[in-house]
Amino acid sequence: MYPDLALRTVGGSVVSATDESFAAKENLIVPGPPVFDPTTFGHRGKVYDGWETRRRRTPGHDEAVVRLGAPGIVRRIVVDTTWFTGNYPPQAAVDGRADDEWFELVPLSDLKGDSENAIDVRCDRRVTEVRLRIVPDGGVARLRVFGEALPDPALIAALGTVDLAAVENGGHVRDVSNRFYSEPQNLLLPGPARSMGEGWETARRRDSGNDWVEIGLGVESRIAVVELDTRYFLHNAPARAVLGTAGRTLVDTDVEPDTVHRIVLQDPGPVTDVRLDIHPDGGLSRVRLWGTPTEAGRQALQTRWHQAH
């Protein structure tokens, strides 16, 4: 379960586009699925929740450049043409940028209209920007750039104690029991949630079990402080939370609604991944795991950094 490195809430930005006559380029990276109302028209024509260029009358193609919020190794691209039926581009390609050099991530490929066109990427270079090329013109609802964030080892070292679960530091969700209302990757996004919809919320359980999420840290670390944030979850926060790793319980605590819980750990030992069990169900806004990389973690990150350049 790779995070979307281009997502606006991760820090992504659409820095340029050759044309956006019908719909704005910024729509490419907003969270959530695109929406559509067949009755809405504006001065530019039909209102679309996506990026749409004018009909080309000359040779060429249109393109948009997206700066990743969390630079890293791209594993999968989704060119989402949902709701674009008679005005989608028949083909698209995606390039990556690293060290001021553009290179191919996805070759020119056929697209389907009103579809999530998913393409696996086989490239181990660290990417900071992507360029979507649509041929010759048309509309794309969303561009998703799924992958593994690769932070700068020098920055991690200089910062000292950091959130090793954060997407920008390589944190990622490995598995989850339930994602009925919202995505578990939201737990690891930068900044505080601005509403309940920006957290992770499960369906109401009607059995004797509980929900859980498994989180991989960016590097092997020693966690000093665990932060469990239930802000905006007023009547649907979990009653209890248990955080553990490799057979060890790190935190076992009652949970209050609409509250930031911070728990100091005593000698937790090296950690590479954790499992958070919430009892019995409900939602959280954010999970923060503040700590410092171990020596093995620092060396592993340094090795990955050099291999990706």
Side-chain angles (χ1 to χ4, degrees):
M1 298 174 63
Y2 296 116
D4 181 359
L5 306 180
L7 202 64
R8 180 66 180 171
T9 47
V10 174
S13 174
V14 186
V15 297
S16 66
T18 53
D19 183 275
E20 47 185 329
S21 296
F22 287 111
K25 62 185 185 297
E26 286 79 12
N27 290 331
L28 284 170
I29 60 171
V30 299
V35 297
F36 183 74
D37 182 346
T39 67
T40 55
F41 286 84
H43 294 296
R44 294 186 180 188
K46 182 70 192 72
V47 175
Y48 275 95
D49 183 11
W51 168 54
E52 186 183 4
T53 71
R54 71 185 72 194
R55 301 184 189 220
R56 276 192 161 281
R57 304 307 187 198
T58 57
H61 68 274
D62 286 313
E63 61 184 46
V65 175
V66 176
R67 182 173 57 240
L68 301 184
I73 314 298
V74 179
R75 298 303 186 194
R76 198 179 204 205
I77 298 282
V78 175
V79 182
D80 186 349
T81 58
T82 298
W83 303 117
F84 288 93
T85 54
N87 51 351
Y88 68 93
Q91 293 183 308
V94 181
D95 305 314
R97 188 177 188 182
D99 302 320
D100 294 325
E101 175 192 357
W102 288 102
F103 50 91
E104 182 179 272
L105 292 177
V106 174
L108 192 63
S109 305
D110 293 338
L111 299 181
K112 293 180 180 179
D114 197 23
S115 302
E116 294 183 4
N117 298 273
I119 306 144
D120 289 335
V121 176
R122 291 173 174 80
C123 177
D124 290 327
R125 296 187 66 179
R126 181 179 186 265
V127 174
T128 58
E129 293 177 311
V130 295
R131 179 172 60 194
L132 171 65
R133 292 183 281 125
I134 58 173
V135 180
D137 55 39
V140 174
R142 299 286 189 267
L143 178 67
R144 301 305 190 200
V145 185
F146 296 107
E148 307 167 45
L150 181 55
D152 186 340
L155 181 62
I156 296 294
L159 290 173
T161 300
V162 297
D163 177 9
L164 278 309
V167 168
E168 65 266 32
N169 292 329
H172 56 282
V173 171
R174 290 184 172 169
D175 202 359
V176 67
S177 62
N178 186 283
R179 63 207 308 168
F180 187 86
Y181 286 109
S182 47
E183 287 295 318
Q185 296 283 3
N186 290 346
L187 293 171
L188 314 182
L189 294 180
R194 295 169 296 180
S195 71
M196 190 176 69
E198 293 189 356
W200 167 56
E201 183 183 2
T202 73
R204 299 190 186 205
R205 293 191 75 94
R206 304 306 187 189
D207 57 23
S208 59
N210 70 280
D211 286 311
W212 50 267
V213 59
E214 293 178 355
I215 300 171
L217 276 63
V219 299
E220 182 185 78
S221 308
R222 285 186 169 85
I223 302 171
V225 176
V226 172
E227 183 176 308
L228 304 176
D229 184 348
T230 61
R231 276 180 288 194
Y232 296 104
F233 287 88
L234 299 174
H235 308 291
N236 51 358
R240 180 167 150 261
V242 180
L243 184 79
T245 181
R248 292 183 293 129
T249 297
L250 303 178
V251 170
D252 187 341
T253 183
D254 292 337
V255 175
E256 297 294 330
D258 199 24
T259 302
V260 179
H261 307 75
R262 296 186 177 95
I263 304 103
V264 177
L265 301 188
Q266 302 297 327
D267 191 25
V271 174
T272 58
D273 55 87
V274 297
R275 170 169 160 147
L276 175 65
D277 284 84
I278 58 173
H279 296 270
D281 55 27
L284 295 92
S285 296
R286 296 289 187 266
V287 172
R288 307 294 189 204
L289 303 176
W290 301 98
T292 55
T294 64
E295 182 59 32
R298 284 192 292 269
Q299 291 179 2
L301 180 58
Q302 194 72 46
T303 299
R304 291 180 60 211
W305 177 265
H306 286 305
Q307 290 174 342
H309 284 76

